[in-house]
Amino acid sequence: MKSSTQFKQDHSSASSPYFSDDVRDFSQVEKSIPCQEACPAKTNVPGYIRDIYEEKYGRAYEINRACNILPGVLGRICSRPCEEACRHGNDNNGDSVAICYLKRSCADLKSPMHRIIEGLYTPTGKKVAVIGSGPAGLAVAHELAVMGHKVTIYESEEKPGGMLMYGIPEFRLPRNLLLSEIENILRLGIDLHTSTMIGKDINLEDLHDIYDAIVAAIGCMKPRTLEVAGEGLENVYNGLDFMKMVNAGQTPYVGEKTVVIGAGFTAVDCARSAVRLGASQVDIHMRKTVELMRIDAHEKVEAQYEHIGLHGLMQPNRIIGENGRVTGIEFLRTRLEQTDRSPYRVSVPIENSEFVIPADTIIAALGQTPDKEVIFNRAQQSLTMEGYFSAGDFVSGSSDVIHAIADGKRCAQEVDHYLTGIVRKKKMVRIEPCSTTDRDRSFDFISRTAMDTIGLSERKAQLTAEVESGFNTEQAYEESKRCYLCNLRYEIDPQRCIYCSACIDVMPKDCIKMVKGIVFEDSGAYQSYETSQYWNQATAISIDNSKCIRCGKCLEVCPMDCISVHKTELVEVDLASESFE
Amino acid sequence: MASNDHYVIAGNGPAGNAALNTLRKNDPESRITIISDESVGFYSKPRLCSYISGRIEEDELFIHEDLSFDNTRLRLGQHIQSIDPDQKIIFLSHMEKINYTKLIIASGSKPSPSPYMTQFMPYLKSITDFHEAKTHKQCIHDAQQFLVLGGDLVGFKFIDMLISMGKAATLILYPQAFWPFVLDSDMVDRITASLEPKGIRIMVNDRIQSIQDADGGYQVATLNHARNEIEEHYCDQVFAFSGMTPNIDFACKKGFDIDHGILVNEYLRTRFQDVYACGSCAQIFNPILKVYQTTIGWTNAETQGEIAALNLLGANQVTRLAPQKYFDLEGVKIKTSWWDDTDENPNPDGDF
C-alpha cells in the first residue's frame, strides 16, 4: 500500500475520487462532520440526506443500512445524538436538521421494489451461536453472516427483537416494520430459535460442542428496584415488566393517578402507555433535574402534549398502601451536589423534606442491568473462556439501540478475526472533487419541518396507533435542503491565493481566517489554527470547516479560482481488493 | 466595600433594574454593566397591550431610570451567547467578551413555541416585547378578524385587548400552553363561559394543518381530531401565544444546575461563586417547604432583584415570598409560583 503522504501528493490535484489513510484527513472528517462523529455507528448522515434531496430514497436507505441494519426502526426511536451535534442547531444557526425524521423517510419512501444490497463474502464453514435477538444480537448475526459464517440465534422470548419488541411501545415502533427489517437480516441464512432459554432448554456446554464461537448479546433485562418499603404492594410495577405486559396486549391496572419514577426513555414510554390505558393524571418524578433527563427534547414535548407532568429533584422514600394496594408514595426533596467526577452531579436527599403524593399505580422505570446469572450460573463458566464473546448492553450496561448496533458490529469483527485470523477491512477517507456545491444560501433560512402526529383523542382511543405520521416526499425534500453538507471540504490553495480578502468579505459566519500557524496534535492531525488580525502576520487564509456552513459564497467571489471543494466520506474498504474503486 | 468590582446584570427587566438600583445605592463606586437583548430601555411589559390599543402613549410605557451615573453602562441589543462561570466571562454573540467580578442573571422568560407550530412561524405574530408591539400595532388596528393560538397569560391579555377594541377573534386554546400548569377541563369550561359571551369563539386543541396567504389575510385550515373534521378560517391576522419558558439558553450545558429554571438557594446564589439568579429565570429553594420554586410576576421579580443585589454585596437575606401569588385568568386563579404547597387567599388583582 502507498503511504499516506504519497496518496496525498498523488491526488492533490486529482479530478477523480481517491482514498486516503492520512491522519489529517481522518481528523478533518471527525471535526467537520459532527453528526457522523456523534453517531455511534458512524452513519454517513450528509450522504444519505443528499440522496433524499435527489429523491433517491432506496440509495439513502442503503447508506444507512451499511452502518445500521434497522434504518426504519432507528428512524423512529433513535436517541438522536447526531441532532444534538448538528451545526444547524448551534447558536445563531437555527434548529438542528431533523436527521432522525429523514432517516425514517428513506425507509418509508423507498420503492416497494427496492432491493437490499449485501456485499457477501464466500462461506467460511465456521458456525457461530448468538444468544439474544435484540439490536446488538441482530447486528452481530448480520455482520457475521455477511462475512460468510453460519449463524444461529437463540432467543428466550417468543418473538425476536429483544427490547425493541418488548420494551418499546408499539405507538412509537410499529411491529410490522420491526419484523420486516428483522426478516431482511434473517434472509441471509441465519437460523432463529425463539422460546429457547440457554441454561434451561439448551446448555452452554452443548453450544460449545456445536459452534466455533458464541456471542452473548442478552442485553440488560434485570430491572433496578427502588429499594424502599412498600415495593411489594399490588400495583407497583417495574418499568420493563409494565412495558412487556403492554406490548403483549395485556392491560395492567393504572387507576386514576399514576406515578412513574425515572428519567429515561422507559419512564416516558411507561407514562405515555399509562395515559393510553386510561390514567387521568400521569406524572414522572426524578431524583435529578428535568434538564438532566436522559431523553431528547422531542420526547419531552410529546410527554407534555399528552399532559404528563415532569417533576425533578425528588426521590422515593416509601410506598404507602392500604389492604395490600398502593395509595400513595412518599418522596424526599433532593438537591444537586458536586462529585469528584466533575462535571457530574449527584442528587442528595434533603432532611425532613418528606411529602406524600396520592397514587393508584407506581411504575419504577429506573433502568436495567445485565442479568449474567441467566447464562453463567448453570454452566459455571467465566467471561474469559475461549471462543466466547459478548456485545451490546450486556457489556456496556443499559444504553440505547444505536449504541447496541454499533457494538454488535464491533463484536462481529472481533469474532471474524478470531475465526479466520484475517483483517478484512480498513477504514479510509474517500475524497471526491466537486465542481459545485449545488446548495443555495436560502436553504439556511428554512425552518425545521415538524412531524405530523395524530391527536390526543386518537392516541387514547387506540393503544398501538403510531403517533408520528412520517414525512411525505415534499416534507422530506424541504427538510433535506437544510443540511449544511458538512461532508464537503472547502480549501484555499495558498499557492494561488492573492490575499484579496473577497472571501472574508462575503462570509456569513466567522469561518475564514487569517492564519499565522497551525497547531498539530501528537498524532499529526490538525488541532487548531493560530489566527491573526494582522495581514503582516498571516501566512495563509484558511477556511475553518468546523464553522463553514457550505454556502458557497467564497467560491463565487474568488477571482483566482483557488478554492476547491471535495466530498469526504468515511468508508471501509476491503484490504484484499486490488482497487478501492 | 470594594470599588474595583465590575458587576454585570444580565437582563433589563424588573429584577435586573431592582438589582441595579440596589447596587448603586449600596456600592456607588463600583462599575455596573446591564445587558439587554432588546434595543430599548426598561419598560413595562404588562402594559404592552394598553400601548397597542392606544390607552397609553409610547412614552408612558417606559420606566425612565436615571442612567446618568458614570459607573453604569447600559448595553442594549446585545445577545448573551454563553457564560463561563469559572473564568467569569460573558460571551456576546458578536464575539465580544465581558469580564465580570460578580454576576446577576435576571434574564426573565421567553416564548416557548410548540414544535408543531415551527413550520408556520413565518405566518405567526406574537407580542412578547416592545419591538413586536410597535411592529404589529398598526396591523392590529387595521385588522378585524383574528385567529389566536395557544392563549398563555400574555395571550389572554391580548384577547382582552381585542375585546376592548371591538375586534372579532377565534381562540384555539391549548391547555398545556401554561405548562408546567395544565388547564383542566373544568378550567377550560369556565374560561369558555367567560369569553364566549364577549364574542370570542373558543376551540380546544384543534391543530393547524395549513396557513396560506389569501386576499391580504390568511386562510387557515385546522383539524379537530375528536371529530376528524377540517375547518377553514379566514382571518386578517394570526397571533400565537404558546407559553413561556425561562430565558436561559446561554446557561445550558455550562455547568449551571437547571431544572426548569436556574437552581439557586434561598439566598439566590447559583452553584457558582459570585453568580446569582433571580426573577422568572430562576428556580429558588424555599427553605420552609424544602422545594425549588419558579415564580412569575413583576412583584416577585423586583423583590428578588433587590435581594440578589444585597446578597452579592455581602448580605445574607433569604428570599421573601411576594404577597401576590395568583393571577386571574377569566375567573380562573393561576398561581404565580408553582410547586408551592401553601394556599393563600387568591387575589384577583394580578400584576401582569
Side-chain angles (χ1 to χ4, degrees):
Chain A
M1 179 167 298
K2 292 179 180 180
S3 76
S4 57
T5 315
Q6 283 172 311
F7 259 103
K8 200 73 176 149
Q9 285 170 349
D10 287 353
H11 294 90
S12 58
S13 59
S15 57
S16 56
Y18 63 99
F19 292 81
S20 165
D21 61 357
D22 191 317
V23 67
R24 291 168 295 182
D25 288 320
F26 280 111
S27 170
Q28 186 270 326
V29 167
E30 280 173 21
K31 288 175 181 167
S32 300
I33 316 177
C35 50
Q36 182 171 6
E37 182 58 18
C39 176
K42 300 288 177 265
T43 307
N44 180 0
V45 176
Y48 78 75
I49 292 181
R50 188 63 184 173
D51 278 341
I52 291 171
Y53 176 77
E54 293 172 358
E55 301 185 19
K56 295 173 181 168
Y57 306 114
R59 198 181 136 100
Y61 185 80
E62 290 307 319
I63 289 177
N64 269 285
R65 206 167 178 276
C67 300
N68 120 53
I69 32 104
L70 303 167
V73 169
L74 267 297
R76 286 163 169 83
I77 53 102
C78 190
S79 56
R80 310 174 183 188
C82 51
E83 290 190 19
E84 199 168 319
C86 173
R87 292 198 1 255
H88 215 313
N90 289 358
D91 285 332
N92 299 319
N93 283 357
D95 296 318
S96 62
V97 175
I99 297 170
C100 193
Y101 293 159
L102 287 170
K103 185 193 298 290
R104 174 182 169 160
S105 298
C106 56
D108 289 357
L109 300 174
K110 69 182 188 307
S111 163
M113 303 295 287
H114 173 71
R115 289 205 291 183
I116 298 291
I117 298 168
E118 301 280 15
L120 299 180
Y121 292 87
T122 51
T124 62
K126 303 288 185 184
K127 291 191 285 188
V128 183
V130 176
I131 308 169
S133 67
L138 290 169
V140 173
H142 174 264
E143 194 72 5
L144 288 172
V146 167
M147 290 169 175
H149 309 300
K150 177 62 186 169
V151 181
T152 304
I153 300 177
Y154 293 92
E155 168 58 53
S156 61
E157 299 285 349
E158 188 185 341
K159 296 176 187 171
M163 287 294 279
L164 297 172
M165 182 63 74
Y166 293 100
I168 293 174
E170 197 165 350
F171 60 80
R172 283 215 291 141
L173 178 58
R175 295 303 187 256
N176 57 351
L177 177 274
L178 171 61
L179 289 171
S180 158
E181 292 202 323
I182 291 176
E183 186 56 34
N184 278 339
I185 297 164
L186 300 178
R187 283 164 61 198
L188 293 184
I190 298 166
D191 291 330
L192 171 67
H193 298 290
T194 55
S195 304
T196 305
M197 173 80 88
I198 303 302
K200 181 181 166 195
D201 301 306
I202 184 166
N203 289 327
L204 199 57
E205 298 95 320
D206 296 335
L207 290 185
H208 269 281
D209 293 339
I210 303 168
Y211 298 99
D212 299 297
I214 298 171
V215 178
I218 59 173
C220 285
M221 302 300 275
K222 188 177 178 182
R224 290 194 184 94
T225 53
L226 288 168
E227 307 292 336
V228 296
E231 206 164 359
L233 289 166
E234 193 177 339
N235 302 331
V236 178
Y237 305 93
N238 74 62
L240 182 58
D241 285 348
F242 183 82
M243 287 314 305
K244 281 172 93 168
M245 281 191 274
V246 171
N247 287 325
Q250 298 168 22
T251 52
Y253 174 79
V254 292
E256 286 287 302
K257 292 183 176 178
T258 296
V259 167
V260 180
I261 317 291
F265 282 101
T266 308
V268 179
D269 285 342
C270 289
R272 296 180 69 189
S273 297
V275 167
R276 286 156 177 77
L277 290 168
S280 56
Q281 184 180 336
V282 181
D283 293 279
I284 300 175
H285 301 262
M286 63 211 80
R287 292 196 305 174
K288 293 187 182 176
T289 61
V290 173
E291 199 212 16
L292 295 174
M293 285 184 82
R294 299 182 303 277
I295 58 173
D296 56 52
H298 164 79
E299 280 296 303
K300 281 186 195 170
V301 169
E302 287 300 330
Q304 285 173 238
Y305 182 77
E306 294 177 10
H307 299 180
I308 294 164
L310 305 177
H311 309 286
L313 298 167
M314 55 184 72
Q315 73 175 50
N317 196 37
R318 66 189 173 104
I319 298 172
I320 303 161
E322 275 178 26
N323 302 321
R325 305 184 76 167
V326 172
T327 57
I329 178 166
E330 183 180 89
F331 285 98
L332 280 167
R333 304 280 183 191
T334 62
R335 66 167 83 228
L336 296 182
E337 283 192 0
Q338 188 74 35
T339 68
D340 294 338
R341 294 184 306 148
S342 181
Y344 296 102
R345 309 282 280 162
V346 290
S347 64
V348 293
I350 299 170
E351 278 186 22
N352 303 318
S353 65
E354 296 88 347
F355 67 101
V356 173
I357 292 176
D360 308 302
T361 306
I362 309 283
I363 305 171
L366 307 174
Q368 294 82 233
T369 56
D371 191 356
K372 293 184 176 171
E373 291 178 9
V374 171
I375 290 181
F376 298 109
N377 268 10
R378 281 175 173 271
Q380 299 292 306
Q381 299 285 345
S382 78
L383 277 165
T384 54
M385 63 191 181
E386 182 77 6
Y388 175 88
F389 299 84
S390 50
D393 286 4
F394 185 58
V395 181
S396 62
S398 188
S399 61
D400 54 39
V401 179
I402 191 66
H403 277 92
I405 287 175
D407 196 57
K409 197 166 176 180
R410 171 207 60 77
C411 177
Q413 286 167 355
E414 217 174 280
V415 174
D416 179 58
H417 186 247
Y418 166 78
L419 295 173
T420 63
I422 58 170
V423 176
R424 294 175 192 260
K425 294 179 179 180
K426 182 182 181 183
K427 282 192 167 57
M428 297 197 85
V429 179
R430 182 180 185 277
I431 300 169
E432 180 181 353
C434 296
S435 56
T436 171
T437 66
D438 193 21
R439 190 174 184 280
D440 197 281
R441 173 81 172 120
S442 64
F443 293 178
D444 296 337
F445 307 106
I446 299 171
S447 300
R448 180 178 161 118
T449 310
M451 172 64 78
D452 292 334
T453 62
I454 59 173
L456 195 54
S457 53
E458 286 168 279
R459 299 183 192 195
K460 289 182 176 177
Q462 196 187 346
L463 179 71
T464 57
E466 187 175 15
V467 168
E468 296 179 343
S469 313
F471 281 165
N472 57 31
T473 51
E474 289 79 17
Q475 288 171 314
Y477 175 71
E478 201 63 11
E479 186 61 24
S480 69
K481 287 180 185 172
R482 299 183 64 238
C483 178
Y484 285 154
L485 301 177
C486 296
N487 59 342
L488 297 181
R489 181 166 77 191
Y490 280 59
E491 285 176 306
I492 297 174
D493 182 353
Q495 308 284 330
R496 293 161 65 193
C497 174
I498 57 168
Y499 299 85
C500 67
S501 86
C503 55
I504 292 176
D505 293 342
V506 296
M507 67 179 182
K509 300 285 171 185
D510 179 37
C511 52
I512 304 180
K513 293 166 177 170
M514 289 195 289
V515 176
K516 61 180 179 182
I518 293 172
V519 179
F520 290 89
E521 293 174 355
D522 291 342
S523 63
Y526 298 129
Q527 186 183 70
S528 58
Y529 296 109
E530 284 184 292
T531 57
S532 173
Q533 296 179 351
Y534 306 104
W535 285 103
N536 59 354
Q537 293 179 347
T539 55
I541 294 180
S542 189
I543 297 174
D544 182 348
N545 277 279
S546 66
K547 294 234 169 80
C548 165
I549 60 169
R550 279 71 174 173
C551 66
K553 288 291 173 197
C554 56
L555 203 63
E556 287 173 18
V557 299
C558 179
M560 297 302 292
D561 196 23
C562 65
I563 299 176
S564 62
V565 184
H566 289 83
K567 186 165 84 174
T568 56
E569 193 178 352
L570 195 60
V571 293
E572 283 186 328
V573 295
D574 278 334
L575 286 174
S577 298
E578 290 179 1
S579 165
F580 294 137
E581 273 300 84
Chain B
M1 201 70 71
S3 60
N4 56 351
D5 268 319
H6 180 205
Y7 304 137
V8 173
I9 301 167
N12 191 30
N17 277 276
L20 173 68
N21 290 334
T22 307
L23 291 174
R24 271 182 184 161
K25 186 176 162 188
N26 292 281
D27 188 6
E29 300 301 314
S30 65
R31 191 156 61 96
I32 304 171
T33 299
I34 187 161
I35 303 171
S36 171
D37 53 9
E38 292 192 57
S39 300
V40 293
F42 182 32
Y43 64 94
S44 171
K45 273 193 184 179
R47 304 186 80 190
L48 283 176
C49 284
S50 299
Y51 158 69
I52 293 170
S53 68
R55 277 180 50 208
I56 62 170
E57 295 299 319
E58 181 176 321
D59 192 50
E60 295 176 76
L61 200 56
F62 286 89
I63 300 161
H64 295 288
E65 293 290 319
D66 184 1
L67 292 171
S68 59
F69 293 78
D70 287 342
N71 64 339
T72 303
R73 185 153 182 218
L74 181 59
R75 305 284 301 267
L76 293 177
Q78 304 192 359
H79 176 73
I80 298 177
Q81 187 160 305
S82 65
I83 296 173
D84 182 341
D86 294 319
Q87 301 295 319
K88 295 192 172 184
I89 298 173
I90 291 173
F91 297 88
L92 300 180
S93 59
H94 61 267
M95 302 178 68
E96 180 186 352
K97 296 176 187 175
I98 296 180
N99 293 286
Y100 63 84
T101 55
K102 296 184 180 181
L103 169 67
I104 293 177
I105 301 173
S107 50
S109 48
K110 62 172 184 175
S112 172
S114 160
Y116 303 117
M117 291 189 191
T118 52
Q119 62 189 309
F120 305 117
M121 289 309 274
Y123 299 98
L124 306 180
K125 296 183 176 70
S126 188
I127 302 292
T128 54
D129 57 30
F130 174 73
H131 173 74
E132 286 183 336
K134 193 173 176 80
T135 304
H136 302 321
K137 182 176 180 178
Q138 190 58 48
C139 78
I140 290 170
H141 279 269
D142 293 344
Q144 289 305 315
Q145 184 69 46
F146 289 79
L147 183 66
V148 181
L149 310 175
D152 57 16
L153 296 175
V154 182
F156 274 88
K157 284 198 78 87
F158 186 78
I159 288 281
D160 276 345
M161 179 199 75
L162 293 181
I163 292 167
S164 73
M165 295 172 76
K167 308 290 186 184
T170 296
L171 168 64
I172 301 182
L173 181 61
Y174 298 115
Q176 67 277 15
F178 297 83
W179 190 85
F181 184 91
V182 178
L183 299 178
D184 61 26
S185 56
D186 178 53
M187 290 171 167
V188 170
D189 289 345
R190 285 158 61 193
I191 289 168
T192 304
S194 171
L195 285 177
E196 282 193 335
K198 297 173 186 169
I200 305 297
R201 185 184 171 207
I202 308 284
M203 300 161 75
V204 181
N205 266 331
D206 288 31
R207 294 273 289 274
I208 304 295
Q209 293 294 100
S210 65
I211 304 180
Q212 292 176 329
D213 294 310
D215 301 330
Y218 303 98
Q219 193 71 32
V220 182
T222 58
L223 172 66
N224 183 297
H225 283 291
R227 297 193 302 272
N228 198 26
E229 285 176 6
I230 289 183
E231 188 174 339
E232 295 282 339
H233 311 257
Y234 175 81
C235 58
D236 300 312
Q237 295 294 341
V238 188
F239 276 80
F241 302 92
S242 51
M244 306 291 278
T245 187
N247 182 22
I248 51 173
D249 287 350
F250 54 81
C252 290
K253 296 181 181 165
K254 305 298 177 200
F256 286 91
D257 288 338
I258 294 172
D259 187 36
H260 296 291
I262 296 175
L263 298 184
V264 292
N265 64 13
E266 57 270 43
Y267 305 103
L268 301 176
R269 295 187 182 109
T270 68
R271 63 170 287 217
F272 293 107
Q273 195 174 5
D274 299 328
V275 182
Y276 296 74
C278 55
S280 56
C281 68
Q283 204 174 329
I284 306 164
F285 185 68
N286 181 327
I288 300 165
L289 299 173
K290 297 183 167 51
V291 60
Y292 288 89
Q293 295 176 300
T294 302
T295 62
I296 56 174
W298 194 278
T299 317
N300 281 323
E302 280 191 328
T303 306
Q304 292 163 23
E306 181 187 347
I307 291 172
L310 288 172
N311 288 346
L312 176 149
L313 293 169
N316 227 16
Q317 284 199 19
V318 173
T319 315
R320 295 187 302 273
L321 287 176
Q324 171 60 47
K325 298 182 73 178
Y326 285 86
F327 174 75
D328 186 2
L329 186 75
E330 297 299 326
V332 174
K333 303 294 181 289
I334 303 288
K335 282 186 177 183
T336 57
S337 64
W338 288 282
W339 307 297
D340 181 352
D341 296 338
T342 58
D343 225 6
E344 294 180 356
N345 290 328
N347 174 4
D349 301 322
D351 61 349
F352 291 82

